[in-house]
Amino acid sequence: EDKVVQSPLSLVVHEGDTVTLNCSYEVTNFRSLLWYKQEKKAPTFLFMLTSSGIEKKSGRLSSILDKKELFSILNITATQTGDSAIYLCAVEAGYTGFQKLVFGTGTRLLVSP
Amino acid sequence: NAGVTQTPKFQVLKTGQSMTLQCAQDMNHNSMYWYRQDPGMGLRLIYYSASEGTTDKGEVPNGYNVSRLNKREFSLRLESAAPSQTSVYFCASSITSNQPQHFGDGTRLSIL
């Protein structure tokens, strides 16, 4: 059974701290790994990773994938209160035809002022 | 930029009632999806539509039906609601199945 596990489940940090969120997976025929940020409503897309070792960066957020060890990390530097959200990791997997996403349960991040 | 629009935003039903959740996207995406999100369970795929005219079951399809009305619209129907279907329902769309999905704001559904 395809599985995506995120850790920690929740995290509280102070503004300005750096955080690392983890995502490990066990799936059949990995295609890609995606990170989403979910505030009050819709998950919003952050990154899509397909190759090992290539860092994707957007402002203070960055992410990298290790396909050998089957995990990804999401780093947030100089955290701000606006970074408070649930961060979702999802893996696209499957053989031919339609690839579906398998989601982890998320990491709830709270950044205190 | 409307993106993915879901209606209604909130709904309370009694057990056994039926209802349809509506979803429309204005991004000319081919693929559309329905998920449910429950505490501690993550997002789980109910049904998807790879392209206009096709639909298929996801991970948790029991108790639901879908209709891909046209390229823009994908509706989810609960024929006889049960308390176990209390959840937040998200619709999503993507250009094709291997591209990032864009989500609507969700429908919070409570079944008493």
Side-chain angles (χ1 to χ4, degrees):
Chain A
E1 183 183 339
D2 294 335
K3 190 166 60 172
V4 176
V5 178
Q6 292 186 245
S7 64
L9 291 179
S10 65
L11 190 56
V12 181
V13 300
H14 290 109
E15 215 168 11
D17 287 351
T18 293
V19 298
T20 298
L21 309 183
N22 304 294
C23 176
S24 63
Y25 60 90
E26 292 178 36
V27 299
T28 304
N29 196 35
F30 172 91
R31 296 286 183 132
S32 65
L33 185 144
L34 296 90
W35 285 96
Y36 286 86
K37 177 182 181 183
Q38 185 176 22
E39 295 176 86
K40 290 189 169 31
K41 297 181 179 177
T44 53
F45 171 72
L46 295 174
F47 298 113
M48 182 175 182
L49 303 154
T50 55
S51 302
S52 271
I54 298 174
E55 185 182 50
K56 292 233 175 168
K57 204 168 167 61
S58 176
R60 296 175 294 102
L61 277 66
S62 63
S63 183
I64 198 160
L65 173 66
D66 185 329
K67 290 166 74 173
K68 184 178 174 187
E69 299 297 330
L70 308 183
F71 78 90
S72 173
I73 59 172
L74 176 69
N75 277 324
I76 309 174
T77 59
T79 52
Q80 301 171 357
T81 55
D83 295 326
S84 296
I86 298 172
Y87 290 85
L88 300 172
C89 174
V91 173
E92 183 185 32
Y95 288 102
T96 57
F98 196 82
Q99 276 80 53
K100 300 172 215 180
L101 289 183
V102 179
F103 281 84
T105 55
T107 292
R108 185 182 295 272
L109 174 66
L110 178 63
V111 181
S112 61
Chain B
N1 281 347
V4 179
T5 303
Q6 290 184 235
T7 55
K9 295 192 186 321
F10 303 95
Q11 185 71 48
V12 178
L13 293 178
K14 293 181 180 177
T15 298
Q17 287 186 315
S18 63
M19 83 160 293
T20 299
L21 306 186
Q22 307 286 353
C23 174
Q25 52 90 11
D26 61 2
M27 297 176 284
N28 202 32
H29 285 175
N30 292 301
S31 302
M32 297 185 74
Y33 317 78
W34 276 105
Y35 292 90
R36 60 179 289 174
Q37 186 175 38
D38 302 294
M41 299 287 288
L43 282 153
R44 292 183 292 167
L45 184 65
I46 305 171
Y47 269 92
Y48 64 91
S49 171
S51 59
E52 186 180 357
T54 70
T55 62
D56 211 340
K57 294 177 181 178
E59 184 185 353
V60 289
N62 291 346
Y64 306 96
N65 284 302
V66 290
S67 296
R68 184 75 182 263
L69 304 167
N70 47 55
K71 191 171 185 179
R72 291 187 62 246
E73 298 172 286
F74 188 39
S75 62
L76 178 72
R77 182 161 178 83
L78 286 72
E79 290 292 350
S80 178
S84 60
Q85 294 177 305
T86 293
S87 188
V88 181
Y89 291 84
F90 285 98
C91 177
S93 70
S94 60
I95 296 172
T96 59
S97 67
N98 60 353
Q99 294 298 313
Q101 296 177 20
H102 298 264
F103 287 81
D105 283 344
T107 294
R108 187 173 292 275
L109 183 61
S110 293
I111 298 158
L112 308 177

